[in-house]
């Protein structure tokens, strides 16, 4: 059985951002998996219901006021950014993906987790392409009831940031 965390290319002291409209067991799974790597998981919590829990790997936790607002991040700050049920709700999905692109280190990944059917995967892949992400792959059966789309920021491709 494949785990969601098998998608990560782990390294010591890696840094991940999770932007979500409902913090749930996925974040707990990510934190538990990354703890041996002395990783940091930052959270951007969009409006919605969020489970409460704590983990030693959770760094900053930003409350984002609405779905027009961007995530808060510095350039090339993260190895992976997870957008969980945010992209289809965001007023400016392309601008959000462009910010995610700038926030990722070179050769890093964005992972989009969306409830199946709320947005066509082909539309998500087209947005990723416009935002200069490459090698988009959709994984249908990784999380029950959800589509998982993974794409890469490739150094010296596209914007080359």
């Amino acid at each position: 059985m494949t785990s969601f965390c098998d998608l990560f290319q782990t390294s010591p002291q890696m840094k991940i951002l999770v932007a979500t409209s409902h913090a749930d067991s996925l974040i707990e799974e990510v934190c538990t998996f990354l703890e041996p790597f002395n990783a940091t998981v930052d959270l951007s919590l969009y409006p919605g219901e969020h489970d409460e829990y704590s983990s030693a790997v959770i760094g900053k936790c930003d409350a984002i006021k609405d779905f027009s607002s961007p995530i808060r991040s510095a350039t090339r700050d993260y190895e992976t950014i997870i957008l969980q049920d945010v992209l289809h709700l965001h007023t400016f999905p392309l601008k959000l993906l462009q910010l995610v692109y700038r926030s990722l280190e070179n050769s890093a990944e964005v992972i989009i987790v969306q409830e199946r059917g709320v947005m066509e995967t082909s539309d998500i892949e087209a947005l990723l392409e416009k935002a200069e992400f490459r090698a988009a792959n959709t994984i249908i059966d990784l999380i029950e009831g959800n589509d998982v789309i993974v794409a890469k920021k490739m150094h010296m491709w596209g914007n080359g940031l």
Side-chain angles (χ1 to χ4, degrees), residues 32-132:
T32 301
F33 179 79
L34 293 175
E35 199 163 347
F37 298 98
N38 196 25
T40 301
V41 177
D42 291 341
L43 302 175
S44 288
L45 303 176
Y46 278 87
E49 293 187 28
H50 303 287
D51 291 348
E52 294 284 330
Y53 53 85
S54 63
S55 171
V57 299
I58 293 179
K60 69 177 183 172
C61 183
D62 292 322
I64 309 298
K65 66 178 182 171
D66 58 36
F67 288 101
S68 296
S69 300
I71 57 173
R72 295 182 191 104
S73 64
T75 302
R76 294 188 187 136
D77 203 22
Y78 297 103
E79 283 90 342
T80 301
I81 294 180
I82 301 167
L83 299 177
Q84 180 187 21
D85 288 322
V86 169
L87 192 64
H88 73 286
L89 296 170
H90 205 278
T91 307
F92 309 106
L94 180 59
K95 287 188 182 215
L96 176 63
L97 287 175
Q98 289 168 334
L99 177 59
V100 166
Y101 187 93
R102 287 189 302 275
S103 301
L104 287 168
E105 291 185 354
N106 294 330
S107 302
E109 295 179 324
V110 62
I111 301 172
I112 299 169
V113 180
Q114 297 268 135
E115 185 179 331
R116 189 165 297 131
V118 297
M119 190 172 185
E120 291 294 324
T121 56
S122 59
D123 293 341
I124 296 170
E125 290 176 1
L127 279 171
L128 288 165
E129 186 74 23
K130 284 181 186 174
E132 300 294 340

Side-chain angles (χ1 to χ4, degrees), residues 85 113-116 139-148:
D85 288 322
V113 180
Q114 297 268 135
E115 185 179 331
R116 189 165 297 131
I139 306 166
I140 295 173
D141 295 325
L142 189 60
I143 301 173
E144 188 176 327
N146 289 273
D147 292 323
V148 177

